[in-house]
Amino acid sequence: MALINTNPTGTAAWKKLREHFAFMENVSMCDMFSNDPDRVQKFHIIWGDFLLDYSKNRINSETLDLLLALAEEINLKDAIQKYFFGDKINATENRAALHTALRTSQKSLLVDGKNVIREIESVQGKIKLFTESVISGSRKGFTGKAFTDIVNIGIGGSDLGPDMAVEALQFYKNHLNLHFISNIDGDHVAESIKKLNPETTLFIVVSKTFTTQETISNATILKKWFLQSGEKEDVAKHFVAVSTNIKEVTQFGIASDNIFPMWDWVGGRFSMWSAVGLSIALSVGYENFEKLLDGAQQMDAHFENAPFEDNISVILALLSVWYNNFFGCETEAVIPYSQYLKKLAPYLQQAVMESNGKRVDRDGNPVNYQTGNIIWGEPGSNAQHAFFQLIHQGTKLIPCDFIGFIEPLHGNKAHHDKLMSNFFAQTEALLLGKREEDVIAEGVQNEFLIPFKEFKGNKPTNTLLIHKLTPETLGSLIAMYEHKIFVQGVIWNIFSFDQFGVEYGKQLANTILDEINTGNSKPHDSSTEFLLKFYSDIKTE
Ligand code: F6P
Protein backbone atom coordinates (compact mmCIF):
# COMPACT_ATOMS: atom_id res chain seq x y z
CA MET A 1 0.00 0.00 0.00
CA ALA A 2 1.08 3.56 -0.69
CA LEU A 3 2.12 6.03 1.98
CA ILE A 4 -0.59 8.31 3.33
CA ASN A 5 -0.37 11.77 1.76
CA THR A 6 -0.55 14.64 4.20
CA ASN A 7 0.69 18.16 3.64
CA PRO A 8 2.66 18.71 6.85
CA THR A 9 1.87 22.43 6.89
CA GLY A 10 -1.84 21.59 7.16
CA THR A 11 -1.45 19.62 10.38
CA ALA A 12 -2.43 21.04 13.75
CA ALA A 13 1.07 20.28 15.06
CA TRP A 14 2.73 22.30 12.28
CA LYS A 15 0.53 25.29 13.01
CA LYS A 16 1.37 25.08 16.70
CA LEU A 17 5.05 24.66 15.87
CA ARG A 18 4.89 27.85 13.84
CA GLU A 19 3.50 29.78 16.83
CA HIS A 20 5.93 28.08 19.15
CA PHE A 21 8.84 28.98 16.87
CA ALA A 22 8.06 32.69 17.29
CA PHE A 23 8.73 32.15 20.98
CA MET A 24 11.74 29.84 20.59
CA GLU A 25 13.58 31.64 17.79
CA ASN A 26 15.73 33.73 20.06
CA VAL A 27 15.65 31.68 23.25
CA SER A 28 19.08 31.15 24.71
CA MET A 29 20.14 27.55 25.17
CA CYS A 30 22.44 28.69 27.98
CA ASP A 31 19.44 30.12 29.84
CA MET A 32 17.56 26.88 29.32
CA PHE A 33 20.52 24.93 30.74
CA SER A 34 20.75 27.29 33.73
CA ASN A 35 17.01 27.11 34.41
CA ASP A 36 16.81 23.36 34.15
CA PRO A 37 19.58 21.29 35.74
CA ASP A 38 17.87 18.17 34.37
CA ARG A 39 17.96 19.33 30.76
CA VAL A 40 20.47 16.79 29.53
CA GLN A 41 18.56 14.01 31.31
CA LYS A 42 15.48 14.96 29.30
CA PHE A 43 17.20 15.25 25.96
CA HIS A 44 19.42 12.25 25.49
CA ILE A 45 19.02 8.66 24.35
CA ILE A 46 21.26 5.75 25.29
CA TRP A 47 20.93 2.78 22.96
CA GLY A 48 23.45 -0.08 22.86
CA ASP A 49 26.87 1.45 22.23
CA PHE A 50 25.33 4.79 21.22
CA LEU A 51 24.67 7.89 23.27
CA LEU A 52 22.82 10.71 21.55
CA ASP A 53 22.89 13.95 23.51
CA TYR A 54 20.56 16.41 21.80
CA SER A 55 20.23 18.80 24.70
CA LYS A 56 22.32 21.44 22.88
CA ASN A 57 19.43 22.27 20.59
CA ARG A 58 17.04 25.19 20.52
CA ILE A 59 14.21 23.14 21.91
CA ASN A 60 12.30 22.75 25.15
CA SER A 61 9.87 20.04 26.23
CA GLU A 62 7.05 21.74 24.38
CA THR A 63 9.06 21.76 21.13
CA LEU A 64 9.72 18.08 21.48
CA ASP A 65 6.08 17.31 22.26
CA LEU A 66 4.94 19.26 19.21
CA LEU A 67 7.49 17.58 16.93
CA LEU A 68 6.39 14.19 18.25
CA ALA A 69 2.77 15.20 17.70
CA LEU A 70 3.70 16.06 14.10
CA ALA A 71 5.13 12.56 13.66
CA GLU A 72 1.89 11.09 15.00
CA GLU A 73 -0.32 13.30 12.88
CA ILE A 74 1.63 12.51 9.75
CA ASN A 75 1.13 8.83 10.59
CA LEU A 76 4.80 7.95 10.76
CA LYS A 77 4.02 4.64 12.48
CA ASP A 78 2.02 3.49 9.46
CA ALA A 79 4.81 4.60 7.10
CA ILE A 80 7.44 2.68 9.11
CA GLN A 81 5.36 -0.48 8.93
CA LYS A 82 5.00 -0.12 5.17
CA TYR A 83 8.72 0.53 4.79
CA PHE A 84 9.72 -2.66 6.64
CA PHE A 85 6.91 -4.72 5.18
CA GLY A 86 7.98 -4.14 1.58
CA ASP A 87 5.01 -2.05 0.43
CA LYS A 88 5.66 -0.23 -2.82
CA ILE A 89 6.42 3.06 -1.13
CA ASN A 90 8.68 4.03 -4.06
CA ALA A 91 5.49 4.63 -6.03
CA THR A 92 6.98 6.59 -8.95
CA GLU A 93 9.09 3.55 -9.78
CA ASN A 94 6.41 1.10 -8.57
CA ARG A 95 8.88 -0.55 -6.17
CA ALA A 96 9.46 -1.33 -2.53
CA ALA A 97 12.40 0.29 -0.75
CA LEU A 98 13.54 -2.76 1.08
CA HIS A 99 17.23 -2.35 1.88
CA THR A 100 16.33 -3.38 5.45
CA ALA A 101 15.56 -6.88 4.10
CA LEU A 102 19.25 -7.27 3.26
CA ARG A 103 20.08 -7.40 6.96
CA THR A 104 16.89 -8.75 8.50
CA SER A 105 16.74 -11.78 10.77
CA GLN A 106 13.26 -12.57 9.44
CA LYS A 107 12.91 -15.84 7.57
CA SER A 108 10.28 -14.70 5.13
CA LEU A 109 9.46 -11.44 3.40
CA LEU A 110 7.27 -11.37 0.34
CA VAL A 111 7.80 -8.99 -2.57
CA ASP A 112 5.31 -9.56 -5.40
CA GLY A 113 4.45 -12.88 -3.78
CA LYS A 114 8.06 -14.09 -3.74
CA ASN A 115 10.04 -14.77 -0.56
CA VAL A 116 13.06 -12.51 -1.11
CA ILE A 117 14.90 -13.75 1.97
CA ARG A 118 15.81 -16.98 0.18
CA GLU A 119 17.34 -15.05 -2.71
CA ILE A 120 19.19 -12.74 -0.33
CA GLU A 121 20.63 -15.69 1.56
CA SER A 122 21.70 -17.37 -1.64
CA VAL A 123 23.58 -14.23 -2.81
CA GLN A 124 25.13 -13.84 0.65
CA GLY A 125 26.35 -17.44 0.43
CA LYS A 126 27.92 -16.66 -2.92
CA ILE A 127 29.61 -13.52 -1.53
CA LYS A 128 30.97 -15.56 1.38
CA LEU A 129 32.47 -18.29 -0.79
CA PHE A 130 33.86 -15.81 -3.28
CA THR A 131 35.47 -13.53 -0.72
CA GLU A 132 36.97 -16.46 1.15
CA SER A 133 38.52 -17.83 -2.03
CA VAL A 134 40.02 -14.45 -2.98
CA ILE A 135 41.30 -13.64 0.51
CA SER A 136 42.80 -17.09 1.05
CA GLY A 137 44.45 -16.95 -2.36
CA SER A 138 42.80 -20.14 -3.56
CA ARG A 139 41.15 -18.19 -6.37
CA LYS A 140 43.89 -17.10 -8.71
CA GLY A 141 44.51 -14.84 -11.67
CA PHE A 142 45.38 -15.98 -15.18
CA THR A 143 49.06 -16.57 -14.42
CA GLY A 144 48.33 -18.57 -11.29
CA LYS A 145 49.07 -15.77 -8.86
CA ALA A 146 46.80 -14.83 -5.96
CA PHE A 147 44.98 -11.50 -6.15
CA THR A 148 46.53 -8.51 -4.43
CA ASP A 149 44.36 -5.68 -5.73
CA ILE A 150 40.61 -5.24 -6.08
CA VAL A 151 39.12 -2.52 -8.26
CA ASN A 152 35.52 -1.47 -7.68
CA ILE A 153 34.20 0.14 -10.86
CA GLY A 154 30.95 1.97 -10.13
CA ILE A 155 29.53 5.40 -9.41
CA GLY A 156 26.98 6.99 -7.05
CA GLY A 157 25.41 4.31 -4.91
CA SER A 158 27.61 1.70 -6.57
CA ASP A 159 30.71 3.47 -5.29
CA LEU A 160 30.11 5.87 -2.40
CA GLY A 161 28.81 3.34 0.16
CA PRO A 162 31.49 0.68 -0.41
CA ASP A 163 34.23 3.32 -0.66
CA MET A 164 33.10 4.97 2.58
CA ALA A 165 32.83 1.64 4.43
CA VAL A 166 36.17 0.28 3.18
CA GLU A 167 37.82 3.50 4.36
CA ALA A 168 35.96 3.45 7.67
CA LEU A 169 36.92 -0.16 8.38
CA GLN A 170 40.56 0.12 7.37
CA PHE A 171 41.59 -0.99 10.85
CA TYR A 172 39.95 -4.37 10.19
CA LYS A 173 41.27 -4.87 6.67
CA ASN A 174 43.37 -7.71 5.33
CA HIS A 175 46.22 -7.74 2.80
CA LEU A 176 44.08 -6.84 -0.25
CA ASN A 177 44.45 -3.34 -1.71
CA LEU A 178 41.15 -1.75 -2.62
CA HIS A 179 40.72 0.83 -5.38
CA PHE A 180 37.59 2.72 -6.41
CA ILE A 181 37.24 4.02 -9.94
CA SER A 182 34.12 6.08 -10.47
CA ASN A 183 34.65 9.26 -12.45
CA ILE A 184 34.27 9.37 -16.23
CA ASP A 185 37.39 11.54 -16.09
CA GLY A 186 39.92 9.42 -18.01
CA ASP A 187 42.67 10.75 -15.77
CA HIS A 188 41.07 8.93 -12.85
CA VAL A 189 41.36 5.54 -14.61
CA ALA A 190 44.81 6.36 -15.95
CA GLU A 191 46.14 7.23 -12.50
CA SER A 192 44.62 4.09 -10.98
CA ILE A 193 46.04 1.82 -13.69
CA LYS A 194 49.55 2.96 -12.79
CA LYS A 195 49.22 1.12 -9.48
CA LEU A 196 47.85 -2.13 -10.93
CA ASN A 197 49.29 -5.37 -12.19
CA PRO A 198 46.85 -7.19 -14.51
CA GLU A 199 48.02 -10.59 -13.26
CA THR A 200 46.93 -9.92 -9.69
CA THR A 201 44.00 -7.52 -10.08
CA LEU A 202 40.36 -8.42 -9.71
CA PHE A 203 37.74 -6.06 -11.17
CA ILE A 204 34.23 -5.73 -9.77
CA VAL A 205 31.91 -3.89 -12.13
CA VAL A 206 29.08 -2.60 -9.97
CA SER A 207 26.07 -1.11 -11.67
CA LYS A 208 22.48 -1.76 -10.78
CA THR A 209 21.34 -0.82 -14.28
CA PHE A 210 24.55 -1.70 -16.12
CA THR A 211 23.86 1.20 -18.44
CA THR A 212 25.63 3.97 -16.51
CA GLN A 213 27.97 5.77 -18.90
CA GLU A 214 30.79 6.25 -16.37
CA THR A 215 30.85 2.66 -15.19
CA ILE A 216 30.55 1.03 -18.58
CA SER A 217 33.22 3.32 -20.10
CA ASN A 218 35.62 2.67 -17.22
CA ALA A 219 34.95 -1.07 -17.26
CA THR A 220 35.50 -1.16 -21.02
CA ILE A 221 38.81 0.67 -20.84
CA LEU A 222 39.99 -1.53 -17.97
CA LYS A 223 39.01 -4.66 -19.85
CA LYS A 224 40.97 -3.42 -22.87
CA TRP A 225 43.96 -2.70 -20.65
CA PHE A 226 43.67 -6.16 -19.12
CA LEU A 227 43.52 -7.79 -22.56
CA GLN A 228 46.91 -6.31 -23.39
CA SER A 229 48.27 -8.98 -21.01
CA GLY A 230 45.56 -11.62 -20.66
CA GLU A 231 43.54 -13.55 -23.21
CA LYS A 232 39.79 -13.26 -23.78
CA GLU A 233 39.11 -16.42 -21.74
CA ASP A 234 41.06 -14.93 -18.81
CA VAL A 235 38.43 -12.20 -18.40
CA ALA A 236 36.29 -14.73 -16.51
CA LYS A 237 38.98 -15.03 -13.87
CA HIS A 238 39.43 -11.29 -13.40
CA PHE A 239 36.04 -9.63 -13.96
CA VAL A 240 32.93 -10.02 -11.85
CA ALA A 241 29.77 -7.92 -11.85
CA VAL A 242 27.05 -6.83 -9.47
CA SER A 243 23.86 -5.88 -11.26
CA THR A 244 20.14 -6.42 -11.83
CA ASN A 245 20.72 -6.35 -15.59
CA ILE A 246 22.02 -9.85 -16.29
CA LYS A 247 21.53 -9.44 -20.07
CA GLU A 248 23.82 -6.40 -20.33
CA VAL A 249 26.43 -7.95 -18.01
CA THR A 250 26.57 -11.05 -20.17
CA GLN A 251 26.87 -8.93 -23.29
CA PHE A 252 29.79 -7.12 -21.71
CA GLY A 253 31.53 -10.50 -21.53
CA ILE A 254 31.27 -11.40 -17.87
CA ALA A 255 30.62 -15.09 -17.20
CA SER A 256 27.26 -15.91 -15.59
CA ASP A 257 29.04 -17.55 -12.63
CA ASN A 258 30.68 -14.21 -11.96
CA ILE A 259 27.44 -12.26 -11.65
CA PHE A 260 26.18 -11.24 -8.23
CA PRO A 261 22.53 -10.33 -8.63
CA MET A 262 20.78 -7.46 -6.89
CA TRP A 263 17.17 -6.38 -6.96
CA ASP A 264 15.18 -3.39 -8.10
CA TRP A 265 13.70 -3.02 -4.60
CA VAL A 266 17.12 -1.88 -3.35
CA GLY A 267 17.90 1.73 -4.20
CA GLY A 268 21.47 2.41 -5.37
CA ARG A 269 22.25 4.74 -2.48
CA PHE A 270 20.99 2.15 0.03
CA SER A 271 22.69 -0.82 -1.58
CA MET A 272 25.99 -1.30 0.25
CA TRP A 273 24.34 -4.11 2.26
CA SER A 274 23.79 -6.14 -0.92
CA ALA A 275 26.43 -7.58 -3.26
CA VAL A 276 27.28 -3.93 -3.99
CA GLY A 277 29.24 -4.31 -0.74
CA LEU A 278 31.37 -7.09 -2.23
CA SER A 279 34.45 -4.86 -2.01
CA ILE A 280 33.74 -4.31 1.70
CA ALA A 281 33.53 -8.06 2.29
CA LEU A 282 36.77 -8.55 0.34
CA SER A 283 38.54 -5.86 2.31
CA VAL A 284 37.55 -6.93 5.83
CA GLY A 285 36.41 -10.52 5.35
CA TYR A 286 32.91 -11.94 5.25
CA GLU A 287 32.62 -12.24 9.02
CA ASN A 288 33.11 -8.51 9.43
CA PHE A 289 30.70 -7.83 6.57
CA GLU A 290 28.13 -9.88 8.48
CA LYS A 291 28.82 -7.80 11.59
CA LEU A 292 28.19 -4.65 9.55
CA LEU A 293 24.82 -6.09 8.51
CA ASP A 294 24.13 -7.12 12.06
CA GLY A 295 24.79 -3.61 13.37
CA ALA A 296 22.41 -2.21 10.76
CA GLN A 297 19.82 -4.81 11.68
CA GLN A 298 20.01 -3.80 15.36
CA MET A 299 19.40 -0.18 14.38
CA ASP A 300 16.49 -1.30 12.18
CA ALA A 301 14.91 -3.04 15.16
CA HIS A 302 15.42 0.05 17.31
CA PHE A 303 13.89 2.27 14.64
CA GLU A 304 10.96 -0.05 14.04
CA ASN A 305 10.10 -0.62 17.69
CA ALA A 306 11.32 2.17 19.96
CA PRO A 307 8.74 4.79 20.93
CA PHE A 308 9.39 7.95 18.97
CA GLU A 309 10.66 9.87 22.00
CA ASP A 310 13.42 7.24 22.48
CA ASN A 311 14.06 6.66 18.80
CA ILE A 312 17.39 8.04 17.60
CA SER A 313 16.54 8.35 13.90
CA VAL A 314 13.12 9.85 14.61
CA ILE A 315 14.53 12.44 17.02
CA LEU A 316 17.32 13.40 14.60
CA ALA A 317 14.84 13.72 11.75
CA LEU A 318 12.44 15.85 13.79
CA LEU A 319 15.23 18.17 14.91
CA SER A 320 16.35 18.52 11.33
CA VAL A 321 12.79 19.42 10.27
CA TRP A 322 12.64 21.96 13.12
CA TYR A 323 15.73 23.77 11.82
CA ASN A 324 15.01 23.33 8.12
CA ASN A 325 11.38 24.37 8.12
CA PHE A 326 11.11 26.78 11.01
CA PHE A 327 14.55 28.35 11.47
CA GLY A 328 15.15 28.29 7.70
CA CYS A 329 18.50 26.53 7.99
CA GLU A 330 19.58 25.35 4.58
CA THR A 331 22.51 23.16 5.50
CA GLU A 332 23.61 20.64 8.09
CA ALA A 333 27.18 19.67 8.83
CA VAL A 334 28.31 16.19 9.82
CA ILE A 335 31.59 16.21 11.71
CA PRO A 336 32.99 12.81 12.65
CA TYR A 337 35.95 12.96 14.99
CA SER A 338 37.60 10.04 13.27
CA GLN A 339 39.81 10.17 10.21
CA TYR A 340 38.40 6.76 9.27
CA LEU A 341 35.08 8.48 8.59
CA LYS A 342 36.45 10.96 6.11
CA LYS A 343 34.12 9.67 3.41
CA LEU A 344 31.00 9.79 5.54
CA ALA A 345 29.94 13.26 4.39
CA PRO A 346 30.22 12.51 0.63
CA TYR A 347 28.33 9.27 1.23
CA LEU A 348 25.58 11.10 3.11
CA GLN A 349 25.42 13.79 0.46
CA GLN A 350 24.08 11.26 -2.01
CA ALA A 351 21.95 9.42 0.54
CA VAL A 352 20.30 12.60 1.82
CA MET A 353 20.24 14.89 -1.18
CA GLU A 354 19.35 12.36 -3.88
CA SER A 355 16.59 11.09 -1.62
CA ASN A 356 15.02 14.26 -0.30
CA GLY A 357 15.98 16.85 -2.91
CA LYS A 358 12.42 16.92 -4.28
CA ARG A 359 10.12 19.83 -5.10
CA VAL A 360 6.78 18.14 -5.61
CA ASP A 361 4.75 16.23 -3.05
CA ARG A 362 3.43 12.71 -3.38
CA ASP A 363 0.47 14.02 -5.39
CA GLY A 364 2.82 15.70 -7.82
CA ASN A 365 2.02 19.22 -6.59
CA PRO A 366 4.78 21.73 -5.84
CA VAL A 367 5.47 21.82 -2.11
CA ASN A 368 4.91 25.07 -0.22
CA TYR A 369 7.69 24.37 2.28
CA GLN A 370 11.37 23.46 2.23
CA THR A 371 12.48 19.85 1.72
CA GLY A 372 15.94 18.22 1.55
CA ASN A 373 18.80 19.80 3.43
CA ILE A 374 22.27 20.37 2.06
CA ILE A 375 24.74 18.07 3.77
CA TRP A 376 28.42 18.70 4.10
CA GLY A 377 31.25 18.01 6.48
CA GLU A 378 34.77 16.82 7.16
CA PRO A 379 36.39 15.01 10.03
CA GLY A 380 37.37 16.95 13.13
CA SER A 381 39.77 18.22 14.18
CA ASN A 382 40.73 19.13 10.57
CA ALA A 383 37.36 20.78 10.08
CA GLN A 384 38.09 23.16 12.94
CA HIS A 385 41.00 24.55 10.94
CA ALA A 386 38.98 24.77 7.75
CA PHE A 387 35.37 25.97 8.01
CA PHE A 388 34.53 26.16 11.72
CA GLN A 389 35.18 29.90 11.71
CA LEU A 390 31.97 30.35 9.73
CA ILE A 391 29.96 28.05 12.01
CA HIS A 392 31.15 29.95 15.09
CA GLN A 393 31.07 33.54 13.92
CA GLY A 394 29.37 33.61 10.50
CA THR A 395 25.85 34.82 9.84
CA LYS A 396 24.35 31.42 9.09
CA LEU A 397 22.85 28.97 11.53
CA ILE A 398 24.27 25.53 10.78
CA PRO A 399 23.11 22.62 12.92
CA CYS A 400 25.92 20.06 13.26
CA ASP A 401 26.13 16.38 14.11
CA PHE A 402 29.29 15.64 16.08
CA ILE A 403 30.21 11.96 16.00
CA GLY A 404 32.92 10.70 18.34
CA PHE A 405 34.20 7.42 19.73
CA ILE A 406 35.13 6.62 23.32
CA GLU A 407 37.88 4.13 22.45
CA PRO A 408 40.52 4.68 19.79
CA LEU A 409 41.38 1.72 17.59
CA HIS A 410 45.15 1.88 17.88
CA GLY A 411 45.16 2.44 21.62
CA ASN A 412 46.94 5.77 21.45
CA LYS A 413 45.11 7.18 24.44
CA ALA A 414 47.04 10.43 24.72
CA HIS A 415 46.21 11.36 21.13
CA HIS A 416 42.64 10.24 21.51
CA ASP A 417 42.12 12.36 24.61
CA LYS A 418 43.41 15.37 22.67
CA LEU A 419 41.06 14.57 19.80
CA MET A 420 38.10 14.12 22.11
CA SER A 421 38.87 17.23 24.12
CA ASN A 422 38.47 19.11 20.84
CA PHE A 423 35.25 17.22 20.17
CA PHE A 424 33.72 18.22 23.50
CA ALA A 425 35.17 21.74 23.41
CA GLN A 426 33.64 22.57 20.06
CA THR A 427 30.06 21.75 21.01
CA GLU A 428 30.56 23.61 24.28
CA ALA A 429 31.95 26.66 22.46
CA LEU A 430 29.11 26.56 19.96
CA LEU A 431 26.64 26.48 22.83
CA LEU A 432 28.20 29.04 25.18
CA GLY A 433 29.79 31.50 22.81
CA LYS A 434 31.98 34.15 24.36
CA ARG A 435 30.36 37.31 25.71
CA GLU A 436 31.81 40.79 25.63
CA GLU A 437 32.57 40.65 29.38
CA ASP A 438 34.44 37.37 28.91
CA VAL A 439 36.55 38.92 26.16
CA ILE A 440 37.39 41.85 28.45
CA ALA A 441 38.09 39.48 31.36
CA GLU A 442 40.60 37.72 29.11
CA GLY A 443 42.56 40.97 29.04
CA VAL A 444 41.49 42.44 25.70
CA GLN A 445 41.81 46.16 26.35
CA ASN A 446 41.44 47.52 22.85
CA GLU A 447 37.68 48.11 22.60
CA PHE A 448 37.81 47.97 18.82
CA LEU A 449 38.79 44.31 18.99
CA ILE A 450 35.95 43.20 21.24
CA PRO A 451 33.27 42.49 18.58
CA PHE A 452 35.77 40.48 16.54
CA LYS A 453 36.54 38.27 19.51
CA GLU A 454 32.99 37.87 20.68
CA PHE A 455 31.08 34.66 19.84
CA LYS A 456 27.29 34.70 19.95
CA GLY A 457 27.04 30.98 20.70
CA ASN A 458 23.58 29.39 20.84
CA LYS A 459 24.53 27.19 17.86
CA PRO A 460 22.75 23.83 17.83
CA THR A 461 24.63 20.53 17.86
CA ASN A 462 23.82 16.84 18.30
CA THR A 463 26.51 14.79 19.99
CA LEU A 464 26.69 11.14 19.07
CA LEU A 465 29.14 9.35 21.31
CA ILE A 466 29.75 5.76 20.25
CA HIS A 467 31.79 3.23 22.15
CA LYS A 468 34.17 2.24 19.36
CA LEU A 469 34.31 2.22 15.56
CA THR A 470 33.59 -1.40 14.65
CA PRO A 471 31.80 -3.04 11.72
CA GLU A 472 28.70 -3.29 13.94
CA THR A 473 28.66 0.32 15.06
CA LEU A 474 29.36 1.51 11.51
CA GLY A 475 26.38 -0.56 10.33
CA SER A 476 24.20 0.98 13.03
CA LEU A 477 25.40 4.50 12.24
CA ILE A 478 24.65 4.24 8.53
CA ALA A 479 21.26 2.62 9.16
CA MET A 480 20.52 5.43 11.64
CA TYR A 481 21.01 8.02 8.89
CA GLU A 482 19.04 5.93 6.36
CA HIS A 483 16.05 5.98 8.70
CA LYS A 484 16.47 9.68 9.43
CA ILE A 485 16.23 10.30 5.67
CA PHE A 486 13.11 8.12 5.49
CA VAL A 487 11.37 9.94 8.35
CA GLN A 488 12.07 13.32 6.80
CA GLY A 489 10.73 12.18 3.44
CA VAL A 490 7.55 10.96 5.14
CA ILE A 491 7.08 14.26 6.97
CA TRP A 492 7.74 16.29 3.84
CA ASN A 493 5.27 14.13 1.91
CA ILE A 494 7.77 13.47 -0.88
CA PHE A 495 9.07 10.36 -2.61
CA SER A 496 12.53 9.68 -1.18
CA PHE A 497 13.44 6.68 -3.29
CA ASP A 498 13.50 7.94 -6.86
CA GLN A 499 16.08 10.24 -8.47
CA PHE A 500 14.67 11.60 -11.72
CA GLY A 501 16.62 14.82 -11.24
CA VAL A 502 19.84 13.05 -12.11
CA GLU A 503 18.53 11.77 -15.44
CA TYR A 504 18.13 15.02 -17.36
CA GLY A 505 21.81 15.98 -17.23
CA LYS A 506 22.72 12.48 -18.43
CA GLN A 507 20.40 12.84 -21.46
CA LEU A 508 21.87 16.21 -22.43
CA ALA A 509 25.42 14.90 -21.99
CA ASN A 510 24.67 12.13 -24.49
CA THR A 511 23.37 14.64 -27.02
CA ILE A 512 26.43 16.86 -26.58
CA LEU A 513 28.81 13.91 -26.82
CA ASP A 514 27.20 12.97 -30.09
CA GLU A 515 27.74 16.52 -31.36
CA ILE A 516 31.38 16.52 -30.26
CA ASN A 517 31.97 13.17 -31.96
CA THR A 518 30.16 13.93 -35.20
CA GLY A 519 30.65 17.70 -35.45
CA ASN A 520 26.89 18.07 -36.15
CA SER A 521 25.86 20.86 -33.86
CA LYS A 522 22.38 21.08 -32.44
CA PRO A 523 20.56 24.16 -31.13
CA HIS A 524 21.57 25.25 -27.61
CA ASP A 525 21.29 28.34 -25.49
CA SER A 526 23.89 30.87 -26.61
CA SER A 527 26.15 30.33 -23.60
CA THR A 528 26.38 26.55 -24.11
CA GLU A 529 26.85 27.10 -27.86
CA PHE A 530 29.71 29.53 -27.17
CA LEU A 531 31.37 27.15 -24.70
CA LEU A 532 31.09 24.15 -27.03
CA LYS A 533 32.60 26.10 -29.89
CA PHE A 534 35.46 27.35 -27.72
CA TYR A 535 36.13 23.78 -26.54
CA SER A 536 36.07 22.31 -30.08
CA ASP A 537 38.13 25.11 -31.65
CA ILE A 538 40.96 24.82 -29.12
CA LYS A 539 40.81 21.03 -29.26
CA THR A 540 41.21 20.98 -33.03
CA GLU A 541 43.90 23.69 -33.23
O1 F6P B 1 23.45 9.23 -9.88
C1 F6P B 1 22.29 8.63 -10.33
C2 F6P B 1 22.31 7.18 -10.11
O2 F6P B 1 21.20 6.69 -10.76
C3 F6P B 1 22.33 6.80 -8.63
O3 F6P B 1 21.09 6.77 -8.06
C4 F6P B 1 23.00 5.48 -8.68
O4 F6P B 1 23.48 5.12 -7.42
C5 F6P B 1 24.08 5.74 -9.69
O5 F6P B 1 23.47 6.57 -10.64
C6 F6P B 1 24.69 4.53 -10.31
O6 F6P B 1 23.74 3.75 -10.97
P1 F6P B 1 24.06 2.27 -11.40
O7 F6P B 1 24.34 1.47 -10.17
O8 F6P B 1 22.84 1.80 -12.12
O9 F6P B 1 25.27 2.30 -12.30
Side-chain angles (χ1 to χ4, degrees), residues 154-160 206-216 242-244 262 267-271 276 350 354 498-499 502-503 506:
I155 196 162
S158 299
D159 165 76
L160 289 162
V206 187
S207 177
K208 184 175 163 183
T209 55
F210 223 79
T211 55
T212 306
Q213 186 200 46
E214 289 90 339
T215 304
I216 304 309
V242 180
S243 187
T244 54
M262 59 184 292
R269 53 193 174 273
F270 302 101
S271 65
V276 169
Q350 187 202 16
E354 201 166 272
D498 59 23
Q499 58 285 314
V502 195
E503 299 305 320
K506 289 188 198 169

Side-chain angles (χ1 to χ4, degrees), residues 134 136-141 144-149 175 199-201:
V134 175
S136 69
S138 66
R139 188 182 166 110
K140 300 190 193 307
K145 292 184 184 158
F147 291 107
T148 56
D149 291 76
H175 61 284
E199 292 178 53
T200 54
T201 302

